[in-house]
Amino acid sequence: MGDVVDDIGVRPLEPINPRSDTRAEVRMTPGGSAANTAAWLGHLGAPTRFVGKVGADGVGRHGDALANVGVEARLVPDPVLPTATIVLTLDDDADRTMFVDRAANSALGVDDLDESMWDGVEWLHLTGYTFFDPATLPVAQHLVRAARERGVGVSVDPSSTGFLRQCGVEEFLGWTVGVDLVVPNIEEARLLAGATGPFVDFDRLAEAYPHVVVTLGAMGAAYVGGDVRTQVTAPRVPVLDTTGAGDAFTAGFLAEWVHSRDPKAALAGGSAAAERCITMRGARP
């Protein structure tokens, strides 16, 4: 459950000319961290349902995009606001800077949620964006409570170092009490663990969440939970676009985790999905 977005990717084909024209490759593709994760889960064969809000013109477009990868999409149309849009600029290292207009994503409310959305659900995945937006924070907290009441597992991707700094680590930890699994990248983990030097104490995160998975970029990914510590290395492949790599990793991890609760196998599944994502343009399979 969470964001669904129209991604507009901009890759300059020459040095940027301020206040003038720059040749570029510009593409619009479906995105949104939560919707991306759902798309990768569906692509990997996991039975997946996605809930989100779009502009009236986005129901068919985004519904079809998710259905095409095997996801049951329950999209709520907003009668006024457009579908959320993100403009992503890619640098020479394939890293991205994002300009965000949350639009209809911010309008999702508890009243938009249908009880039947829980039918057959074993696991709920949320992203930090739903928590960081004051308009949708009550929805995120409602869903965590509802999942706990139903015995449904919950994972959260913190999603954004910028928003995490703005809201404060203690606030975020308070909002996500009851979450089973947190999936930060290394910079988000650094903030959540209060690291001030090069060393990040993942055990500090494990005090707040039963299961912690940290993506380490080119170094792979690590799992900490209870007495278990394990890590996988990242494959060496040419990187074309990092957009959606974290979402793909989360999907690959969850597809295995919900089935087996095997950290090593789940890390391998996440790594394999992320590898496929970074070798192509866009955030979806």
Side-chain angles (χ1 to χ4, degrees):
M1 172 273 175
D3 288 2
V4 56
V5 173
D6 288 324
D7 280 349
I8 300 175
V10 180
R11 185 171 68 91
L13 299 177
E14 61 186 2
I16 295 174
N17 298 308
R19 299 178 298 280
S20 188
D21 299 313
T22 300
R23 291 186 304 116
E25 179 184 274
V26 181
R27 299 288 185 273
M28 188 170 105
T29 55
S33 182
N36 293 342
T37 303
W40 280 100
L41 278 163
H43 175 72
L44 294 170
T48 305
R49 179 177 299 136
F50 175 79
V51 179
K53 198 159 192 174
V54 295
D57 67 331
V59 174
R61 178 159 43 89
H62 283 283
D64 289 346
L66 288 166
N68 286 341
V69 287
V71 176
E72 178 194 336
R74 298 198 181 186
L75 299 176
V76 181
D78 190 279
V80 177
L81 294 171
T83 300
T85 304
I86 294 180
V87 176
L88 308 98
T89 60
L90 299 174
D91 62 21
D92 292 339
D93 296 321
D95 282 328
R96 72 265 191 265
T97 299
M98 296 181 285
F99 301 87
V100 182
D101 179 358
R102 287 183 52 74
N105 284 331
S106 290
L108 185 69
V110 173
D111 290 343
D112 292 318
L113 308 179
D114 190 302
E115 182 65 24
S116 66
M117 63 177 270
W118 294 102
D119 291 349
V121 170
E122 298 177 61
W123 196 272
L124 167 69
H125 179 67
L126 300 167
T127 67
Y129 297 114
T130 307
F131 289 89
F132 296 136
D133 187 338
T136 55
L137 173 60
V139 181
Q141 293 178 306
H142 166 83
L143 286 166
V144 173
R145 289 193 300 269
R148 303 260 41 91
E149 292 168 0
R150 292 167 171 79
V152 171
V154 183
S155 54
V156 172
D157 176 354
S159 305
S160 169
T161 55
F163 289 149
L164 192 55
R165 289 190 185 95
Q166 288 178 21
C167 80
V169 167
E170 292 305 318
E171 285 284 352
F172 183 80
L173 292 174
W175 294 337
T176 54
V177 167
V179 166
D180 299 282
L181 168 69
V182 66
V183 194
N185 64 27
I186 185 60
E187 293 305 322
E188 293 155 2
R190 180 180 300 279
L191 287 173
L192 290 170
T196 56
F199 175 72
V200 181
D201 186 359
F202 296 158
D203 286 334
R204 289 195 63 182
L205 285 179
E207 294 172 2
Y209 305 99
H211 306 281
V212 176
V213 176
V214 182
T215 56
L216 305 169
M219 295 175 60
Y223 168 88
V224 177
D227 296 328
V228 179
R229 308 287 185 274
T230 188
Q231 184 171 345
V232 295
T233 58
R236 296 292 184 262
V237 295
V239 179
L240 179 62
D241 183 356
T242 60
T243 306
D247 303 326
F249 175 90
T250 298
F253 183 93
L254 289 177
E256 176 62 36
W257 178 255
V258 173
H259 168 69
S260 70
R261 294 299 196 274
D262 181 337
K264 192 77 173 181
L267 287 175
S271 181
E275 175 188 355
R276 293 166 67 181
C277 183
I278 63 176
T279 57
M280 54 185 238
R281 287 296 308 273
R284 300 272 185 95

